[in-house]
Amino acid sequence: MSVERTLILVKPDGVQRGLVGAVLGRIEQRGLKLVGLKMVQMDDALASRHYEAHVEKPFFEGLKAFMTSSPLVAAVFEGPNAVQAARNVMGATDPVEAAGGTIRGDLGLDIGRNLVHGSDSPEAGERETAIFFEPHELIAWARDSERWIIE
Ligand code: DAT
Ligand code: MG
């Protein structure tokens, strides 16, 4: 059981639709611990850095336009297997394929408006966290409920 960090973004569609609390709440309710949180207006440079693996993809220009169109909310969650746990809560990339009970499966319809980003590996979790947060913005805090969530 490895303690990981994952970067979660409530994308501009989630913010515009008033779903910030719903999206973050599902991840919070899973038991992951919030250690960083901020609102961010993404620009082209930040989009290219965050999505560096997708810069050459045909959908990148549309993705960049969407991600820079309106503010997003960035959060860092920590916990055992945080990356996979959050991705399971998010559901498949295409909301039409995402299972019911997941964020994308319950709240989304279109791959280009899929509400939420979550890191896809522990390494990506560290890399992406460093893009959005300075070290001092990440809070190491003791959660009193910890022993009721993690053995
Ligand atoms: P995920 O966000 O599930 O990690 P990804 O990293 O493969 O998915 O892609 C990043 C985002 O790019 C994704 O959330 C939505 C968009 N995207 C991916 N594939 C796409 C496609 N075929 N058409 C349009 N947008 C796409
Ligand atoms: Mg991804």
Side-chain angles (χ1 to χ4, degrees):
M1 185 169 82
S2 60
V3 176
E4 300 170 352
R5 276 188 200 152
T6 184
L7 178 83
I8 300 297
L9 301 177
V10 184
K11 294 182 178 183
D13 53 340
V15 177
Q16 287 282 351
R17 291 175 58 193
L19 295 173
V20 174
V23 170
L24 296 183
R26 284 171 179 236
I27 296 167
E28 202 181 20
Q29 285 163 4
R30 183 70 195 264
L32 295 176
K33 184 168 81 171
L34 184 67
V35 296
L37 184 67
K38 63 166 70 165
M39 197 170 202
V40 176
Q41 173 61 56
M42 199 178 237
D43 62 13
D44 283 14
L46 185 59
S48 298
R49 203 172 155 207
H50 174 68
Y51 281 125
E52 65 175 17
H54 297 313
V55 169
E56 303 297 329
K57 304 267 175 68
F59 58 80
F60 180 70
E61 285 305 317
L63 176 63
K64 185 171 73 172
F66 164 56
M67 293 296 291
T68 59
S69 64
S70 186
L72 53 78
V73 170
V76 179
F77 283 91
E78 196 175 86
N81 306 307
V83 166
Q84 193 58 52
R87 287 192 67 95
N88 290 349
V89 172
M90 289 160 50
T93 303
D94 186 344
V96 172
E97 307 295 329
T102 67
I103 293 167
R104 289 162 167 172
D106 287 351
L107 304 174
L109 271 180
D110 188 320
I111 194 167
R113 299 286 185 270
N114 66 0
L115 291 154
V116 62
H117 166 85
S119 307
D120 66 3
S121 68
E123 297 70 34
E126 295 303 319
R127 183 185 78 82
E128 294 170 356
T129 293
I131 292 174
F132 286 85
F133 291 86
E134 299 287 340
H136 74 268
E137 295 175 310
L138 300 172
I139 309 297
W141 60 288
R143 188 170 55 174
D144 291 346
S145 59
E146 197 79 5
R147 70 194 175 100
W148 304 108
I149 300 168
I150 299 161
E151 184 175 5

